[in-house]
């Protein structure tokens, strides 16, 4: 890893280090099962070991890192069965969020979502996956907030923390990435039509498609395209 691209201000709190590490995990720079070198990361992030260790604890609490007794810290890795179970639950949560969001949708919400969709499509056109995923997350987060159910939102956030990296990498195949963008257009059309059943079904199918891509990738022999 190039330390110059990772460094954060020394005055930042452990939360800042945790967020930088979270991004590196999502983008695959820190891969599942990878053992983290505390000294190396401390230098690359430009933070001392005390806030870095606190960041490790925060991410371990989220299920992104595993702290091994006397053996340091490594990036958590999910089994295919773990992934299947998590995506099945997430599909149900996102479908419910979409159905509830329709009841509360305002013209302002639609305008904000269309702006995010435009950002996402511009990132897609230039194959900028990190920018695409940030806009994608913002869309799903906005729909979740529109559901106006704090219990549902908390459940989504808790589970999604463990799935962000998998959802990010599900777009590496260009054809499937194109399909995901088209699915998002259909979601916004259903929302604009105030069709909660259609939006729920679209969101569920969207997550089911993501699951299949992730499982195909996990089952693929190393190095195979």
């Amino acid at each position: 890893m190039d330390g110059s691209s990772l460094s954060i201000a020394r005055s930042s709190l452990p939360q800042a280090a945790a967020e930088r590490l979270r991004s590196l995990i999502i983008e695959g720079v820190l891969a599942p099962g990878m053992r983290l070198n505390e000294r190396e990361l401390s230098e690359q992030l430009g933070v001392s070991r005390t806030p870095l260790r606190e960041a490790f604890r925060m991410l371990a609490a989220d299920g992104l890192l595993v702290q091994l007794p006397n053996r340091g810290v490594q990036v958590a890795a999910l089994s295919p069965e773990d992934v299947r179970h998590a995506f099945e639950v997430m599909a149900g949560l996102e479908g419910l969020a979409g159905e509830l969001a329709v009841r509360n949708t305002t013209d302002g919400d639609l305008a904000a979502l269309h702006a995010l969709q435009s950002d996402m499509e511009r990132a897609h056109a230039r194959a900028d996956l990190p920018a695409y995923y940030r806009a994608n997350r913002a869309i799903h987060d906005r729909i979740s907030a529109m559901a106006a159910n704090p219990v549902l939102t908390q459940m989504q956030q808790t589970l999604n923390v463990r799935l962000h990296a998998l959802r990010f990498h599900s777009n590496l195949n260009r054809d499937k990435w194109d399909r995901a963008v088209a699915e998002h257009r259909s979601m916004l059309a259903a929302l604009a039509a105030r069709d909660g059943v259609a939006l729920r079904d679209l969101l569920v199918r969207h997550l089911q498609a993501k699951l299949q891509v992730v499982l195909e990738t996990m089952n693929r022999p190393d190095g195979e395209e």
Side-chain angles (χ1 to χ4, degrees):
M1 292 179 288
D2 179 5
S4 64
S5 65
L6 302 182
S7 182
I8 59 178
R10 292 187 178 277
S11 61
S12 298
L13 298 171
Q15 181 67 41
E19 287 304 312
R20 183 59 59 84
L21 290 171
R22 190 188 308 277
S23 294
L24 295 174
I25 292 169
I26 289 173
E27 295 174 19
V29 178
L30 302 178
M34 180 178 177
R35 188 75 57 84
L36 301 188
N37 185 308
E38 186 178 290
R39 178 188 58 77
E40 180 181 304
L41 280 173
S42 177
E43 293 175 357
Q44 291 174 337
L45 296 177
V47 298
S48 68
R49 295 195 182 188
T50 297
L52 182 61
R53 288 169 183 164
E54 180 60 26
F56 285 167
R57 285 192 288 271
M58 294 164 66
L59 295 181
D62 285 343
L64 291 178
L65 297 180
V66 178
Q67 294 184 301
L68 306 170
N70 303 315
R71 289 186 295 160
V73 178
Q74 70 180 39
V75 180
L78 298 177
S79 71
E81 197 67 13
D82 291 334
V83 170
R84 184 184 301 279
H85 292 159
F87 268 90
E88 286 174 351
V89 173
M90 197 67 201
L93 294 174
E94 292 211 358
L96 177 58
E99 190 168 16
L100 294 176
V102 163
R103 305 176 188 177
N104 306 310
T105 301
T106 67
D107 290 343
D109 290 323
L110 288 172
L113 286 167
H114 279 292
L116 288 169
Q117 177 77 17
S118 295
D119 289 344
M120 193 176 74
E121 296 209 23
R122 283 193 293 270
H124 170 258
R126 63 178 185 270
D128 184 346
L129 188 50
Y132 171 90
Y133 191 68
R134 285 193 295 271
N136 181 292
R137 272 182 71 178
I139 289 171
H140 285 277
D141 288 347
R142 181 93 185 201
I143 293 172
S144 178
M146 288 160 57
N149 185 317
V151 175
L152 175 60
T153 297
Q154 181 59 49
M155 292 176 68
Q156 286 181 278
Q157 290 173 346
T158 299
L159 183 55
N160 228 350
V161 161
R162 305 187 72 195
L163 298 182
H164 280 313
L166 296 171
R167 294 179 75 158
F168 180 94
H169 288 282
S170 70
N171 295 309
L172 291 176
N173 179 291
R174 186 69 195 201
D175 289 340
K176 290 169 183 175
W177 191 5
D178 293 346
R179 192 175 309 131
V181 172
E183 288 170 354
H184 269 266
R185 295 188 197 113
S186 297
M187 290 174 205
L188 289 189
L191 192 59
R194 298 339 193 245
D195 190 337
V197 173
L199 182 55
R200 179 196 65 204
D201 291 347
L202 283 164
L203 283 161
V204 169
R205 289 201 299 271
H206 186 67
L207 266 292
Q208 289 172 340
K210 294 282 185 189
L211 169 61
Q212 291 309 310
V213 176
V214 169
L215 291 177
E216 288 169 9
T217 301
M218 294 180 78
N219 293 327
R220 186 178 302 148
D222 290 345
E224 182 179 316
E225 294 298 327

